[in-house]
Amino acid sequence: FYAVNGISFEVFGGEIFGLLGANGAGKSTTFRMLCGLLPVSSGTLQVAGVDLRHAAAAARKRIGYMSQKFSLYGDLSIRQNLNFFSSAYGLSGRLRTERIEWALEQFGLSAMGDADSRMIPLGYKQRLAMACALMHGPEILFLDEPTSGIDPLARRTFWNRINALAEQGVTVMVTTHFMEEAEYCDRLAILSAGQILTIGTPAEIRRNAQTEDNPDPSIEDAFIRLIEQEQSER
């Protein structure tokens, strides 16, 4: 069994690149390898120009990672989590204080800064997780299904933040199984059973899925068509 089987792709600076696929397609495994959390069994892997197989620590300093499930410390308050992660990223003194205050203000967390993280609503947990991933100003941000379980309004707000980061030059990689979110990506790769079925802009992927019966397919239509083709060939 190969969780990820010989995939190859390149992501450009300031780009929002999406990995789209059903549960078990290999999205999270790909992310964990790119973040240096899982060893790579073969192949070449570079993040921010750094060879991840030989200098994982150097690469990790330049990336931020938000996991699929809330993985911060529930017994710590929002402010304490921000303080811990900024310290873990090497921030200290005035810079750490400034970044904590920035995070509380930018993510609307100031009013509940002393609340235990496990007690706050899911949407606020997602805000806190993203804030922690950004404390050190990473060049590349990895978001693993960041909007799972939150309401549509919170999801739109989250994507507004992602777009703002990309406009500032941050490279964003995001996994999702929400088809409508794929439209927010500059480019995306569709995965199935550990392999990439296609890579392109949302418009290119939709165009390649056109048929006489469906001349204007959605991303969901394109996704289903690719999966069905892959399964029939397999």
Side-chain angles (χ1 to χ4, degrees):
F1 171 76
Y2 290 90
V4 176
N5 190 3
I7 67 174
S8 179
F9 62 91
E10 183 178 11
V11 182
F12 306 107
E15 184 176 35
I16 301 176
F17 188 91
L19 292 180
L20 183 66
N23 291 333
K27 305 186 303 296
S28 294
T29 300
T30 300
F31 259 39
R32 289 171 187 146
M33 290 189 294
L34 289 169
C35 293
L37 301 175
L38 279 178
V40 180
S41 56
S42 64
T44 302
L45 187 63
Q46 289 190 336
V47 175
V50 178
D51 187 336
L52 211 63
R53 298 188 71 180
H54 300 101
R60 280 197 293 264
K61 292 180 181 178
R62 304 170 71 174
I63 66 176
Y65 173 68
M66 179 177 166
S67 66
Q68 183 177 352
K69 296 181 180 179
F70 184 70
S71 57
L72 305 185
Y73 295 98
D75 291 335
L76 298 182
S77 69
I78 288 176
R79 185 179 292 274
Q80 287 170 333
N81 265 296
L82 292 170
N83 187 61
F84 173 80
F85 279 93
S86 58
S87 176
Y89 284 127
L91 305 184
S92 60
R94 182 177 178 181
L95 178 58
R96 187 199 301 183
T97 301
E98 289 176 351
R99 289 299 289 177
I100 291 172
E101 294 307 316
W102 167 85
L104 290 170
E105 180 180 348
Q106 288 295 314
F107 288 87
L109 299 169
S110 299
M112 55 180 67
D114 295 324
D116 284 353
S117 299
R118 66 165 177 253
M119 302 300 294
I120 61 178
L122 179 58
Y124 284 90
K125 288 180 179 177
Q126 301 289 69
R127 293 189 201 181
L128 175 58
M130 189 174 186
C132 287
L134 290 170
M135 292 305 290
H136 59 309
E139 300 171 37
I140 304 173
L141 182 62
F142 290 89
L143 304 172
D144 193 4
E145 298 194 12
T147 60
S148 213
I150 62 176
D151 63 76
L153 183 60
R155 190 179 302 153
R156 175 177 292 183
T157 300
F158 204 93
W159 273 97
N160 287 339
R161 295 183 188 280
I162 294 173
N163 287 323
L165 287 167
E167 289 174 1
Q168 295 167 18
V170 178
T171 303
V172 180
M173 282 199 65
V174 58
T175 69
T176 182
H177 57 261
F178 293 114
M179 299 298 161
E180 68 274 16
E181 289 190 347
E183 296 285 357
Y184 299 141
C185 299
D186 297 312
R187 287 190 305 137
L188 59 99
I190 294 180
L191 277 73
S192 177
Q195 295 184 310
I196 291 178
L197 303 184
T198 189
I199 296 179
T201 66
E204 289 170 344
I205 291 174
R206 289 196 310 272
R207 186 163 57 246
N208 291 336
Q210 288 176 333
T211 63
E212 290 185 5
D213 295 333
N214 189 0
D216 187 24
S218 65
I219 284 289
E220 183 173 0
D221 294 332
F223 175 81
I224 292 172
R225 187 162 185 259
L226 283 165
I227 296 296
E228 289 177 343
Q229 287 177 343
E230 187 265 341
Q231 290 177 344
S232 64
E233 292 171 1
R234 189 164 40 152

Short mmCIF file of all heavy atoms in Angstrom, two decimals, residues 50-90:
data_model
loop_
_atom_site.label_atom_id
_atom_site.label_comp_id
_atom_site.label_asym_id
_atom_site.label_seq_id
_atom_site.Cartn_x
_atom_site.Cartn_y
_atom_site.Cartn_z
N VAL A 50 14.95 24.45 0.03
CA VAL A 50 15.72 23.63 0.96
C VAL A 50 15.36 22.16 0.76
O VAL A 50 14.19 21.80 0.68
CB VAL A 50 15.43 24.04 2.43
CG1 VAL A 50 16.22 23.15 3.39
CG2 VAL A 50 15.79 25.50 2.65
N ASP A 51 16.38 21.31 0.67
CA ASP A 51 16.17 19.87 0.53
C ASP A 51 15.65 19.31 1.85
O ASP A 51 16.38 19.27 2.84
CB ASP A 51 17.49 19.18 0.14
CG ASP A 51 17.30 17.71 -0.18
OD1 ASP A 51 16.32 17.11 0.31
OD2 ASP A 51 18.13 17.14 -0.91
N LEU A 52 14.41 18.89 1.85
CA LEU A 52 13.77 18.47 3.10
C LEU A 52 14.32 17.15 3.63
O LEU A 52 14.19 16.86 4.82
CB LEU A 52 12.26 18.37 2.90
CG LEU A 52 11.39 18.67 4.11
CD1 LEU A 52 11.57 20.11 4.56
CD2 LEU A 52 9.92 18.42 3.80
N ARG A 53 14.93 16.38 2.77
CA ARG A 53 15.45 15.09 3.22
C ARG A 53 16.77 15.24 3.98
O ARG A 53 17.17 14.34 4.71
CB ARG A 53 15.65 14.15 2.03
CG ARG A 53 14.35 13.85 1.30
CD ARG A 53 14.53 12.79 0.24
NE ARG A 53 14.73 11.47 0.84
CZ ARG A 53 14.91 10.36 0.13
NH1 ARG A 53 14.94 10.43 -1.19
NH2 ARG A 53 15.09 9.20 0.73
N HIS A 54 17.45 16.38 3.78
CA HIS A 54 18.75 16.57 4.42
C HIS A 54 18.81 17.78 5.35
O HIS A 54 19.74 17.91 6.13
CB HIS A 54 19.84 16.72 3.35
CG HIS A 54 19.96 15.52 2.46
ND1 HIS A 54 19.42 15.48 1.19
CD2 HIS A 54 20.54 14.30 2.66
CE1 HIS A 54 19.68 14.30 0.64
NE2 HIS A 54 20.34 13.57 1.52
N ALA A 55 17.84 18.68 5.25
CA ALA A 55 17.86 19.88 6.09
C ALA A 55 16.44 20.24 6.51
O ALA A 55 15.98 21.36 6.31
CB ALA A 55 18.52 21.04 5.34
N ALA A 56 15.76 19.27 7.13
CA ALA A 56 14.36 19.47 7.50
C ALA A 56 14.18 20.62 8.48
O ALA A 56 13.24 21.40 8.39
CB ALA A 56 13.78 18.19 8.09
N ALA A 57 15.10 20.77 9.43
CA ALA A 57 14.97 21.82 10.44
C ALA A 57 15.04 23.20 9.80
O ALA A 57 14.29 24.11 10.16
CB ALA A 57 16.06 21.66 11.50
N ALA A 58 15.94 23.37 8.83
CA ALA A 58 16.08 24.65 8.14
C ALA A 58 14.81 24.99 7.37
O ALA A 58 14.40 26.16 7.32
CB ALA A 58 17.28 24.61 7.20
N ALA A 59 14.19 23.98 6.77
CA ALA A 59 12.96 24.21 6.01
C ALA A 59 11.80 24.57 6.94
O ALA A 59 11.00 25.45 6.63
CB ALA A 59 12.62 22.98 5.17
N ARG A 60 11.73 23.87 8.08
CA ARG A 60 10.60 24.09 9.00
C ARG A 60 10.57 25.51 9.55
O ARG A 60 9.51 26.01 9.91
CB ARG A 60 10.63 23.07 10.14
CG ARG A 60 10.07 21.70 9.74
CD ARG A 60 9.74 20.86 10.96
NE ARG A 60 10.94 20.48 11.69
CZ ARG A 60 11.58 19.33 11.54
NH1 ARG A 60 11.16 18.45 10.65
NH2 ARG A 60 12.64 19.04 12.25
N LYS A 61 11.71 26.16 9.63
CA LYS A 61 11.75 27.55 10.11
C LYS A 61 11.02 28.50 9.17
O LYS A 61 10.66 29.60 9.57
CB LYS A 61 13.21 28.00 10.28
CG LYS A 61 13.96 27.31 11.41
CD LYS A 61 15.39 27.81 11.50
CE LYS A 61 16.16 27.11 12.61
NZ LYS A 61 17.58 27.56 12.68
N ARG A 62 10.86 28.07 7.94
CA ARG A 62 10.30 28.96 6.92
C ARG A 62 8.86 28.64 6.57
O ARG A 62 8.29 29.24 5.67
CB ARG A 62 11.18 28.89 5.67
CG ARG A 62 12.63 29.24 5.98
CD ARG A 62 13.58 28.95 4.84
NE ARG A 62 13.41 29.87 3.74
CZ ARG A 62 14.21 29.89 2.67
NH1 ARG A 62 15.22 29.06 2.58
NH2 ARG A 62 13.99 30.76 1.70
N ILE A 63 8.27 27.69 7.30
CA ILE A 63 6.89 27.30 7.00
C ILE A 63 6.01 27.39 8.24
O ILE A 63 6.48 27.33 9.36
CB ILE A 63 6.83 25.86 6.43
CG1 ILE A 63 7.24 24.84 7.49
CG2 ILE A 63 7.69 25.73 5.18
CD1 ILE A 63 7.10 23.40 7.02
N GLY A 64 4.72 27.54 7.99
CA GLY A 64 3.71 27.45 9.03
C GLY A 64 2.77 26.31 8.69
O GLY A 64 2.49 26.07 7.51
N TYR A 65 2.28 25.61 9.70
CA TYR A 65 1.45 24.43 9.45
C TYR A 65 0.23 24.45 10.36
O TYR A 65 0.35 24.62 11.57
CB TYR A 65 2.27 23.16 9.71
CG TYR A 65 1.48 21.87 9.64
CD1 TYR A 65 0.95 21.41 8.44
CD2 TYR A 65 1.27 21.11 10.79
CE1 TYR A 65 0.23 20.23 8.38
CE2 TYR A 65 0.55 19.91 10.74
CZ TYR A 65 0.04 19.47 9.53
OH TYR A 65 -0.67 18.31 9.47
N MET A 66 -0.93 24.28 9.75
CA MET A 66 -2.18 24.17 10.50
C MET A 66 -2.78 22.81 10.20
O MET A 66 -3.12 22.51 9.05
CB MET A 66 -3.14 25.28 10.09
CG MET A 66 -4.48 25.25 10.79
SD MET A 66 -5.51 26.64 10.29
CE MET A 66 -7.12 26.11 10.92
N SER A 67 -2.90 21.97 11.21
CA SER A 67 -3.34 20.59 10.99
C SER A 67 -4.85 20.52 10.81
O SER A 67 -5.59 21.47 11.11
CB SER A 67 -2.91 19.71 12.16
OG SER A 67 -3.58 20.11 13.34
N GLN A 68 -5.29 19.36 10.33
CA GLN A 68 -6.70 19.14 10.04
C GLN A 68 -7.55 19.22 11.31
O GLN A 68 -8.64 19.79 11.31
CB GLN A 68 -6.86 17.78 9.37
CG GLN A 68 -8.27 17.45 8.95
CD GLN A 68 -8.33 16.12 8.21
OE1 GLN A 68 -7.30 15.54 7.89
NE2 GLN A 68 -9.51 15.64 7.96
N LYS A 69 -7.06 18.65 12.40
CA LYS A 69 -7.77 18.69 13.67
C LYS A 69 -7.13 19.72 14.59
O LYS A 69 -5.94 19.99 14.50
CB LYS A 69 -7.75 17.31 14.33
CG LYS A 69 -8.49 16.24 13.54
CD LYS A 69 -8.45 14.90 14.24
CE LYS A 69 -9.19 13.82 13.45
NZ LYS A 69 -9.12 12.50 14.12
N PHE A 70 -7.94 20.29 15.47
CA PHE A 70 -7.41 21.27 16.41
C PHE A 70 -6.36 20.60 17.30
O PHE A 70 -6.65 19.67 18.03
CB PHE A 70 -8.54 21.83 17.28
CG PHE A 70 -8.10 22.92 18.21
CD1 PHE A 70 -7.73 24.16 17.73
CD2 PHE A 70 -8.05 22.70 19.58
CE1 PHE A 70 -7.34 25.17 18.60
CE2 PHE A 70 -7.66 23.70 20.45
CZ PHE A 70 -7.29 24.94 19.95
N SER A 71 -5.13 21.08 17.19
CA SER A 71 -4.01 20.38 17.85
C SER A 71 -3.24 21.29 18.81
O SER A 71 -2.11 21.00 19.16
CB SER A 71 -3.05 19.82 16.80
OG SER A 71 -2.57 20.86 15.97
N LEU A 72 -3.87 22.41 19.21
CA LEU A 72 -3.22 23.28 20.18
C LEU A 72 -3.51 22.76 21.59
O LEU A 72 -4.16 21.74 21.77
CB LEU A 72 -3.71 24.72 20.00
CG LEU A 72 -3.54 25.29 18.59
CD1 LEU A 72 -3.95 26.75 18.56
CD2 LEU A 72 -2.13 25.12 18.07
N TYR A 73 -3.04 23.49 22.58
CA TYR A 73 -3.15 23.02 23.96
C TYR A 73 -4.43 23.55 24.60
O TYR A 73 -4.55 24.73 24.91
CB TYR A 73 -1.92 23.44 24.75
CG TYR A 73 -0.67 22.77 24.25
CD1 TYR A 73 0.19 23.42 23.38
CD2 TYR A 73 -0.36 21.46 24.62
CE1 TYR A 73 1.34 22.80 22.89
CE2 TYR A 73 0.78 20.83 24.15
CZ TYR A 73 1.62 21.51 23.28
OH TYR A 73 2.74 20.87 22.80
N GLY A 74 -5.41 22.65 24.79
CA GLY A 74 -6.70 23.05 25.30
C GLY A 74 -6.67 23.58 26.72
O GLY A 74 -7.53 24.37 27.12
N ASP A 75 -5.69 23.15 27.52
CA ASP A 75 -5.59 23.61 28.91
C ASP A 75 -4.97 24.99 29.01
O ASP A 75 -4.99 25.59 30.08
CB ASP A 75 -4.75 22.62 29.73
CG ASP A 75 -5.47 21.29 29.93
OD1 ASP A 75 -6.72 21.30 29.88
OD2 ASP A 75 -4.80 20.28 30.12
N LEU A 76 -4.40 25.48 27.92
CA LEU A 76 -3.82 26.82 27.91
C LEU A 76 -4.83 27.81 27.35
O LEU A 76 -5.67 27.46 26.52
CB LEU A 76 -2.54 26.86 27.05
CG LEU A 76 -1.37 25.99 27.49
CD1 LEU A 76 -0.18 26.20 26.55
CD2 LEU A 76 -0.96 26.28 28.92
N SER A 77 -4.72 29.04 27.78
CA SER A 77 -5.58 30.08 27.25
C SER A 77 -5.12 30.45 25.83
O SER A 77 -4.06 30.01 25.36
CB SER A 77 -5.52 31.33 28.13
OG SER A 77 -4.23 31.94 28.03
N ILE A 78 -5.93 31.24 25.15
CA ILE A 78 -5.57 31.70 23.81
C ILE A 78 -4.24 32.43 23.85
O ILE A 78 -3.33 32.17 23.06
CB ILE A 78 -6.68 32.63 23.26
CG1 ILE A 78 -7.92 31.81 22.90
CG2 ILE A 78 -6.19 33.43 22.07
CD1 ILE A 78 -9.10 32.63 22.46
N ARG A 79 -4.09 33.36 24.79
CA ARG A 79 -2.84 34.13 24.89
C ARG A 79 -1.66 33.22 25.22
O ARG A 79 -0.56 33.39 24.68
CB ARG A 79 -2.99 35.22 25.96
CG ARG A 79 -1.79 36.15 26.07
CD ARG A 79 -2.02 37.21 27.12
NE ARG A 79 -3.05 38.14 26.74
CZ ARG A 79 -2.81 39.23 25.99
NH1 ARG A 79 -1.57 39.48 25.57
NH2 ARG A 79 -3.78 40.05 25.68
N GLN A 80 -1.86 32.23 26.08
CA GLN A 80 -0.77 31.33 26.45
C GLN A 80 -0.34 30.45 25.26
O GLN A 80 0.84 30.18 25.08
CB GLN A 80 -1.20 30.45 27.63
CG GLN A 80 -1.25 31.19 28.95
CD GLN A 80 -1.89 30.38 30.06
OE1 GLN A 80 -2.73 29.50 29.80
NE2 GLN A 80 -1.52 30.66 31.29
N ASN A 81 -1.30 30.03 24.45
CA ASN A 81 -0.95 29.28 23.25
C ASN A 81 -0.12 30.13 22.29
O ASN A 81 0.88 29.67 21.74
CB ASN A 81 -2.22 28.80 22.53
CG ASN A 81 -2.61 27.38 22.92
OD1 ASN A 81 -1.88 26.43 22.65
ND2 ASN A 81 -3.76 27.24 23.55
N LEU A 82 -0.54 31.37 22.10
CA LEU A 82 0.21 32.27 21.22
C LEU A 82 1.62 32.50 21.77
O LEU A 82 2.60 32.54 21.01
CB LEU A 82 -0.53 33.60 21.08
CG LEU A 82 -1.86 33.55 20.31
CD1 LEU A 82 -2.60 34.87 20.45
CD2 LEU A 82 -1.63 33.23 18.84
N ASN A 83 1.72 32.64 23.08
CA ASN A 83 3.02 32.85 23.71
C ASN A 83 3.91 31.62 23.54
O ASN A 83 5.11 31.74 23.21
CB ASN A 83 2.83 33.15 25.20
CG ASN A 83 4.13 33.53 25.87
OD1 ASN A 83 4.77 34.53 25.52
ND2 ASN A 83 4.56 32.74 26.83
N PHE A 84 3.33 30.44 23.71
CA PHE A 84 4.10 29.20 23.58
C PHE A 84 4.62 29.03 22.16
O PHE A 84 5.79 28.73 21.94
CB PHE A 84 3.25 28.00 23.97
CG PHE A 84 3.91 26.68 23.70
CD1 PHE A 84 4.85 26.17 24.58
CD2 PHE A 84 3.62 25.97 22.55
CE1 PHE A 84 5.49 24.96 24.32
CE2 PHE A 84 4.25 24.76 22.28
CZ PHE A 84 5.19 24.26 23.17
N PHE A 85 3.73 29.19 21.17
CA PHE A 85 4.15 28.94 19.79
C PHE A 85 5.10 30.00 19.28
O PHE A 85 6.02 29.70 18.51
CB PHE A 85 2.92 28.81 18.89
CG PHE A 85 2.29 27.45 18.96
CD1 PHE A 85 1.25 27.20 19.84
CD2 PHE A 85 2.75 26.41 18.17
CE1 PHE A 85 0.68 25.94 19.93
CE2 PHE A 85 2.19 25.15 18.26
CZ PHE A 85 1.15 24.91 19.14
N SER A 86 4.93 31.24 19.68
CA SER A 86 5.89 32.26 19.27
C SER A 86 7.26 31.97 19.86
O SER A 86 8.30 32.16 19.21
CB SER A 86 5.41 33.66 19.68
OG SER A 86 5.21 33.74 21.08
N SER A 87 7.29 31.47 21.10
CA SER A 87 8.55 31.08 21.72
C SER A 87 9.17 29.88 21.00
O SER A 87 10.38 29.84 20.74
CB SER A 87 8.33 30.73 23.19
OG SER A 87 9.52 30.27 23.79
N ALA A 88 8.33 28.90 20.62
CA ALA A 88 8.82 27.72 19.90
C ALA A 88 9.42 28.10 18.56
O ALA A 88 10.36 27.45 18.08
CB ALA A 88 7.69 26.72 19.72
N TYR A 89 8.90 29.15 17.95
CA TYR A 89 9.42 29.62 16.67
C TYR A 89 10.62 30.55 16.83
O TYR A 89 11.13 31.10 15.86
CB TYR A 89 8.33 30.34 15.88
CG TYR A 89 7.32 29.41 15.24
CD1 TYR A 89 5.95 29.58 15.46
CD2 TYR A 89 7.72 28.37 14.40
CE1 TYR A 89 5.02 28.74 14.87
CE2 TYR A 89 6.80 27.54 13.80
CZ TYR A 89 5.45 27.73 14.03
OH TYR A 89 4.53 26.89 13.44
N GLY A 90 11.06 30.75 18.08
CA GLY A 90 12.26 31.53 18.32
C GLY A 90 12.06 33.01 18.53
O GLY A 90 13.02 33.78 18.57
#
